[in-house]
């Protein structure tokens, strides 16, 4: 309850009851019904607070100021001419301070949803677009997400989006929906697509609709994805466009399943590590040439080594938080 009472958006909702704040907190209660009691109680407490501004006593204020002036010696002001080098340093310092303040302002007006180990969850945004967030992933967006000129989110990890197209009307204009990743910016309207941005790079798979992919740092042309296509991109490498992909296999994580179809072992290991936030090592590097075809429900983390051994038909040993693949089962 203390977190709600201290939240700027929550305070604005209670004090001003603006439509965008009201809509956000209604969606919050819908998404987290277990928090409804705390939200209602915090709203009741905050709405009962009354703030009274007392006008200053000008006579008392003037007397205090005279006492300060009487007891304060004004030092001689010395003006020094600043060298060009020092001037540029001062300018740079001012820019850094302004940038830091801007980032602080941005963070204070943003919301973040995230998932942990083996945690897959569905979220409903203020515009009724839905996001399925994979394990160990984070999504950030501004508090005025639904009222801004464009809907923007920032993704770390993996997510599947079902974006609602906002029809033009007297009160609503079509907003573009933009997903930012470290390497790519994805602009969409009404679309279902999967975005994965992990250590190996970023890939985007389009189920239906259209997505315009812009590269943030590399000098590549924009790419317009069509349904059934997937774009893979890693820093320093040429983008790879796949014309026909198995969308069910790629989005299997939304059902908390692993689906491997002739998948190299090292790629399968990366998927499992990302999902469970664990480390998997291979004793014999020649095993990395193996390819896997399997479909299995993601097990609890404490059963991972047993299930992994069954999928790979290999011996797997747990050493603390590390799973080691030591070789073929005897």
């Amino acid at each position: 309850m203390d977190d709600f009472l201290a939240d700027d958006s929550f305070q604005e909702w209670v004090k001003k009851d603006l439509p965008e704040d009201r809509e956000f907190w209604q969606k919050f209660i819908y998404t987290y019904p277990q928090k409804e009691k705390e939200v209602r109680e915090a709203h009741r407490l905050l709405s009962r607070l009354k703030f009274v501004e007392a006008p200053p006593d000008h006579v008392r204020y003037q007397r205090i100021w005279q006492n300060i002036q009487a007891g304060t010696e004004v030092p001689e002001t010395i003006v020094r001419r600043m060298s060009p080098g020092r001037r540029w340093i001062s300018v740079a310092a001012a820019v850094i301070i302004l940038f830091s303040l801007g980032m602080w302002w941005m963070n204070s007006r943003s919301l973040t949803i995230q998932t942990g180990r083996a945690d897959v969850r569905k979220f409903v945004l203020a515009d009724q677009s839905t996001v399925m967030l994979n394990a160990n992933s984070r999504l950030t967006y501004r508090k005025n997400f639904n009222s801004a000129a464009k809907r923007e989110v920032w993704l770390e990890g993996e997510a599947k989006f079902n974006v609602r197209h906002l029809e033009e009307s007297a009160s609503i204009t079509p907003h573009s929906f933009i997903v930012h990743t470290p390497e790519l910016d994805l602009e969409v309207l009404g679309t279902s697509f999967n975005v994965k941005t992990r250590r190996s790079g970023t890939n985007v798979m389009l189920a239906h609709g259209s997505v315009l992919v812009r590269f943030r740092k590399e000098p590549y042309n924009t790419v317009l994805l069509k349904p059934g296509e997937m774009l893979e991109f890693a820093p320093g490498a040429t983008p790879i466009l796949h014309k026909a992909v198995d969308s069910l296999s790629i989005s299997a994580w939304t059902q908390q399943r692993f689906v491997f179809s002739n998948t190299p072992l090292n790629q399968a290991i990366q998927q499992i590590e990302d999902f469970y936030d664990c480390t998997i090592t291979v004793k014999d590097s020649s095993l990395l040439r193996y390819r896997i075809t399997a479909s299995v429900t993601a097990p609890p983390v404490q059963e991972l080594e047993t299930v992994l051994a069954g999928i790979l038909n290999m011996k797997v040993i747990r050493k603390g938080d590390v799973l080691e693949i030591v070789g073929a089962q005897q």
Side-chain angles (χ1 to χ4, degrees):
M1 194 187 306
D2 292 340
D3 292 335
F4 294 130
L5 292 172
D7 186 87
D8 292 339
S9 174
F10 190 88
Q11 295 174 15
E12 289 293 307
W13 172 43
V14 176
K15 290 188 291 184
K16 300 180 181 179
D17 195 28
L18 297 176
E20 58 267 27
D21 292 324
R22 187 189 320 126
E23 182 179 17
F24 169 79
W25 287 104
Q26 287 173 349
K27 296 297 186 300
F28 180 90
I29 293 172
Y30 176 80
T31 307
Y32 302 99
Q34 70 276 16
K35 294 290 185 181
E36 180 175 6
K37 183 178 179 180
E38 296 176 17
V39 170
R40 300 299 183 194
E41 181 64 16
H43 187 286
R44 185 185 67 82
L45 291 175
L46 195 59
S47 62
R48 293 176 62 183
L49 293 177
K50 303 295 182 183
F51 297 92
V52 179
E53 294 186 3
D57 184 338
H58 294 287
V59 175
R60 183 170 178 270
Y61 170 83
Q62 187 65 28
R63 185 170 62 251
I64 293 173
W65 179 243
Q66 290 173 353
N67 291 338
I68 292 174
Q69 287 182 315
T72 304
E73 294 183 1
V74 180
E76 181 184 358
T77 302
I78 301 175
V79 179
R80 292 187 175 90
R81 190 179 186 85
M82 185 178 292
S83 66
R86 287 177 177 269
R87 188 179 300 114
W88 279 111
I89 292 173
S90 299
V91 171
V95 169
I96 292 172
I97 292 172
L98 288 173
F99 177 78
S100 300
L101 288 173
M103 291 300 294
W104 172 83
W105 181 87
M106 171 71 179
N107 291 334
S108 69
R109 303 188 66 82
S110 297
L111 297 170
T112 298
I113 52 180
Q114 62 184 43
T115 53
R117 172 186 292 184
D119 180 20
V120 175
R121 280 189 282 166
K122 181 179 181 180
F123 299 92
V124 180
L125 299 177
D127 66 342
Q128 298 303 303
S129 296
T130 60
V131 182
M132 185 73 77
L133 203 58
N134 202 353
N136 297 304
S137 300
R138 178 195 306 262
L139 189 76
T140 302
Y141 57 96
R142 296 190 180 99
K143 291 181 180 179
N144 66 339
F145 168 81
N146 201 33
S147 60
K150 53 186 177 181
R151 297 168 289 171
E152 295 181 276
V153 298
W154 286 260
L155 174 67
E156 302 172 43
E158 185 170 11
K160 183 176 181 180
F161 294 86
N162 281 291
V163 178
R164 183 189 176 200
H165 177 61
L166 300 180
E167 297 291 345
E168 186 171 4
S169 66
S171 58
I172 301 177
T173 56
H175 296 344
S176 59
F177 192 107
I178 300 176
V179 180
H180 300 285
T181 76
E183 306 296 336
L184 307 174
D185 293 325
L186 316 173
E187 183 172 353
V188 303
L189 285 175
T191 305
S192 175
F193 60 102
N194 192 92
V195 184
K196 180 179 180 181
T197 175
R198 300 283 194 184
R199 50 192 163 161
S200 58
T202 302
N203 66 53
V204 185
M205 188 278 297
L206 180 62
H208 58 79
S210 61
V211 170
L212 186 65
V213 181
R214 294 188 176 92
F215 298 89
R216 304 187 70 182
K217 299 178 182 178
E218 300 294 336
Y220 299 113
N221 295 327
T222 58
V223 177
L224 181 63
L225 287 184
K226 299 177 181 178
E229 293 182 341
M230 183 176 77
L231 180 75
E232 285 187 285
F233 178 71
T238 302
I240 301 174
L241 180 63
H242 300 272
K243 290 293 185 180
V245 294
D246 182 2
S247 60
L248 293 179
S249 174
I250 293 171
S251 60
W253 63 266
T254 62
Q255 305 297 323
Q256 300 199 42
R257 294 186 62 81
F258 293 110
V259 176
F260 303 119
S261 179
N262 199 31
T263 305
L265 178 59
N266 62 325
Q267 293 183 18
I269 286 175
Q270 283 190 12
Q271 289 186 42
I272 296 171
E273 286 181 330
D274 291 338
F275 188 83
Y276 288 102
D277 192 21
C278 66
T279 300
I280 301 175
T281 62
V282 180
K283 188 173 183 179
D284 183 357
S285 60
S286 66
L287 296 175
L288 295 175
R289 297 196 302 268
Y290 279 50
R291 289 180 174 268
I292 305 167
T293 297
S295 176
V296 62
T297 300
V301 66
Q302 59 269 23
E303 301 174 14
L304 179 57
E305 67 216 74
T306 302
V307 175
L308 187 59
I311 294 174
L312 303 178
N313 193 28
M314 297 179 184
K315 187 176 181 181
V316 179
I317 299 175
R318 181 186 290 273
K319 297 180 178 179
D321 292 331
V322 178
L323 300 179
E324 183 180 27
I325 301 173
V326 297
Q329 291 184 342
Q330 301 298 324

